[in-house]
């Protein structure tokens, strides 16, 4: 095994174990922290795939901003009063069986796909992921979608402000 | 390293996210599982971008390096959508907590009336 393969295996195992811990933790704070572990592992994988800028952006935006926002909301909510619903173990069992079945099916399909056979990701570096090339592509080829993105953000901000201004609804 | 292992990792992470959405009732955890699924898709895009940049693709593209940077630019747009979604979604969760004092997805069936 090459060093790259060993590194990938370690990072993949860390990511998968942490992702499983996210969904089986009872305490929401612990699952947020495990999700941070997933993001760090995935960022390391992005580094190894020549996507340096995206790895940094992933850390800043996901691990830095979004996860802190989640923690912040969780602090606002009194989470001692959550999780009072009884577990339906049969339902969980069916869900696990169905999801594992579909996953196995898709893995077999990818194993059989002709256009993906023996396609190796080489070790040599290229400069696709550097900020210069990405900036050129983003502003020259994707100028209009980039501007539409700002409208999307504006809509999201207005929506969030509007939602927070609604008074208590009688139910 | 072959591309298939990256696809397997991405699929496993995506389906762990799907499983979390199905079996958990806490809306915050459901949102976190959606983030997990988006990250799995990002991993897939980046590994295919690397595949095209290295010329390993068998699809005979006209401009492989342009395809590679296109793949990475799409990741930006996924991140934008994720950030907007989190802003709206957390506002909705806080609204729900203000009204129902609970954020379990079971209580959303009151919307039916």
């Amino acid at each position: 095994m090459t060093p790259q393969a060993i590194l990938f295996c370690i990072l993949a195992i860390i990511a998968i174990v942490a992702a499983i811990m996210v969904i089986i933790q009872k305490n929401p704070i612990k699952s947020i922290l495990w999700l941070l572990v997933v993001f760090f592992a995935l960022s390391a994988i992005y580094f190894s795939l020549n996507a340096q800028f995206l790895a940094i952006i992933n850390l800043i935006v996901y691990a830095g901003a979004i996860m802190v926002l989640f923690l912040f909301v969780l602090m606002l909510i009194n989470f001692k009063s959550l999780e009072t619903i009884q577990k339906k173990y049969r339902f969980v069992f069916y869900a696990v069986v169905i999801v594992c079945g579909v996953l196995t099916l898709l893995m077999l399909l990818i194993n059989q796909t002709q256009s993906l056979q023996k396609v190796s990701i080489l070790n040599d570096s290229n400069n696709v992921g550097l900020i210069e090339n990405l900036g050129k592509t983003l502003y020259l080829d994707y100028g209009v979608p980039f501007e539409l993105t700002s409208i999307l953000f504006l809509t999201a901000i207005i929506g969030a402000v509007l939602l927070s201004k609604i008074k208590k609804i009688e139910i | 390293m072959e591309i298939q292992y990256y696809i397997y990792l991405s699929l496993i992470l995506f389906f762990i996210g799907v499983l979390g959405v199905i079996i958990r009732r806490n809306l915050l955890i459901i949102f976190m599982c959606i983030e997990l699924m988006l990250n799995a898709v990002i991993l897939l895009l980046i590994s295919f971008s690397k595949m095209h940049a290295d010329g390993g693709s068998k699809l005979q593209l006209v401009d492989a390096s342009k395809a590679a940077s296109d793949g990475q630019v799409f990741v930006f747009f996924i991140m934008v959508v994720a950030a907007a979604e989190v802003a709206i979604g957390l506002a909705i969760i806080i609204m729900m907590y203000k009204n129902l004092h609970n954020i379990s997805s079971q209580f959303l069936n009151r919307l039916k009336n």
Side-chain angles (χ1 to χ4, degrees), chain A residues 84-95:
Chain A
T84 51
I85 301 137
Q86 82 279 10
K87 291 267 184 294
K88 291 177 182 163
Y89 285 109
R90 257 180 76 194
F91 175 70
V92 173
F93 175 72
Y94 287 144

Side-chain angles (χ1 to χ4, degrees), chain A residues 40-64:
Chain A
F40 274 98
L42 284 179
S43 286
I45 292 178
Y46 300 162
F47 265 115
S48 73
L49 285 172
N50 273 134
Q52 299 93 343
F53 184 61
L54 284 180
I56 296 294
I57 286 292
N58 195 47
L59 280 186
I60 293 173
V61 172
Y62 273 104

Side-chain angles (χ1 to χ4, degrees), chain A residues 97-170:
Chain A
V97 166
I98 290 172
V99 165
C100 286
V102 177
L103 179 62
T104 318
L105 202 67
L106 276 174
M107 279 179 152
L108 284 175
L109 270 175
I110 284 166
N111 203 12
Q112 301 290 322
T113 309
Q114 281 299 321
S115 62
L116 294 176
Q117 294 293 322
K118 293 196 175 57
V119 174
S120 63
I121 291 185
L122 304 174
N123 277 324
D124 59 340
S125 62
N126 53 56
N127 47 12
V128 167
L130 295 183
I131 190 166
E132 184 187 349
N133 293 304
L134 280 188
K136 274 180 188 161
T137 312
L138 183 61
Y139 289 111
L140 295 179
D141 297 342
Y142 290 93
V144 177
F146 181 73
E147 296 297 332
L148 288 178
T149 292
S150 60
I151 297 177
L152 178 70
F153 260 130
L154 187 68
T155 320
I157 292 169
I158 292 173
V161 171
L162 217 68
L163 276 175
S164 65
K165 284 186 98 69
I166 298 174
K167 296 283 181 272
K168 187 173 164 61
I169 305 165
E170 291 301 319

Side-chain angles (χ1 to χ4, degrees), chain B residues 40-55:
Chain B
V41 175
I42 288 175
L43 174 67
L44 201 61
L45 275 173
I46 290 181
S47 54
F48 277 129
S49 149
K50 171 80 173 159
M51 180 183 87
H52 285 305
D54 289 344

Side-chain angles (χ1 to χ4, degrees), chain B residues 69-81:
Chain B
S69 26
D70 280 357
Q72 298 206 358
V73 166
F74 265 84
V75 175
F76 281 108
F77 293 124
I78 292 181
M79 283 181 181
V80 167
V81 171

Side-chain angles (χ1 to χ4, degrees), chain A residues 25 39 50 62 117 121, chain B residues 1 24 35 39 50 58:
Chain A
Q25 281 289 340
F39 287 158
N50 273 134
Y62 273 104
Q117 294 293 322
I121 291 185
Chain B
M1 281 301 290
R24 291 304 296 256
E35 298 298 318
N39 248 286
K50 171 80 173 159
K58 292 177 181 170

